[in-house]
Amino acid sequence: MKKILVINGPNLNMLGIREPGIYGEQSYDALVAFVTDVCARHGLECECFQSNHEGAIVDAIQAAYGKVDGIVINPAAYTHTSVAILDALKAVSIPAVEVHLSDVSKREAFRHVSYAGIACEATFAGYGFDGYRLAVEYLLEHHP
Ligand code: DQA
């Protein structure tokens, strides 16, 4: 594992502003700094991508083919709707781990379904920013 792509979906650019009681008070930039630091401490290169657009996320996954060794993905609301993101993850076959800041299993029923999760090796939900660290460390452990 040399390079990790961290993908964040819609509205995660609003971290710190959006529903702080659920998603915390830290900004998206703080999340990028956190994940970049985690990767650096493990000697990993890290690229962070955020988009509010489903197709842009599909494009980013496709562009990772042959260039990235692992994907950490929080597809946000697209988790629960997007077959296109699931298919993109399956198409590239890059080891992927799903992350959610909140514990989606304890929220509304529609958040209990994860399409992207079908193509992911593990899911960390409800750990806030630390879920991204757990995901990076999972990838390192299972795909050294
Ligand atoms: C989320 C959970 C999703 O249900 C929601 O739509 C999000 C964020 C999380 O990180 O907890 O936007 O993925």
Side-chain angles (χ1 to χ4, degrees), residues 4 9 17 21 23-24 34 37 39 43 47 58 81-82 85-86 91-92 96 98 104-105 108 112 117 121-122 137:
I4 288 184
I17 297 166
Y23 300 115
F34 175 84
D37 179 64
C39 287
E47 183 184 330
V58 170
T81 61
S82 179
I85 292 173
L86 164 63
V92 297
E98 177 185 20
V104 280
S105 72
E108 303 97 318
H112 299 178
E121 294 184 12
E137 290 177 354

Side-chain angles (χ1 to χ4, degrees), residues 114-127:
S114 172
Y115 289 99
I118 294 168
C120 291
E121 294 184 12
T123 298
F124 296 99
Y127 300 103

Side-chain angles (χ1 to χ4, degrees), residues 8-12 15 18-19 22-23 74-80 99-104 107-108 110-111 125-126 132:
N8 281 290
N11 301 306
L12 290 170
L15 283 180
R18 82 181 279 220
E19 303 182 88
I22 297 175
Y23 300 115
N74 181 348
Y78 290 138
T79 304
H80 320 300
V99 174
H100 298 287
L101 294 160
S102 65
D103 185 353
V104 280
R107 299 181 63 194
E108 303 97 318
F110 66 84
R111 295 186 204 272
Y132 292 79

Side-chain angles (χ1 to χ4, degrees), residues 15-39:
L15 283 180
I17 297 166
R18 82 181 279 220
E19 303 182 88
I22 297 175
Y23 300 115
E25 295 191 344
Q26 297 197 77
S27 67
Y28 174 72
D29 285 350
L31 174 60
V32 170
F34 175 84
V35 187
T36 305
D37 179 64
V38 167
C39 287

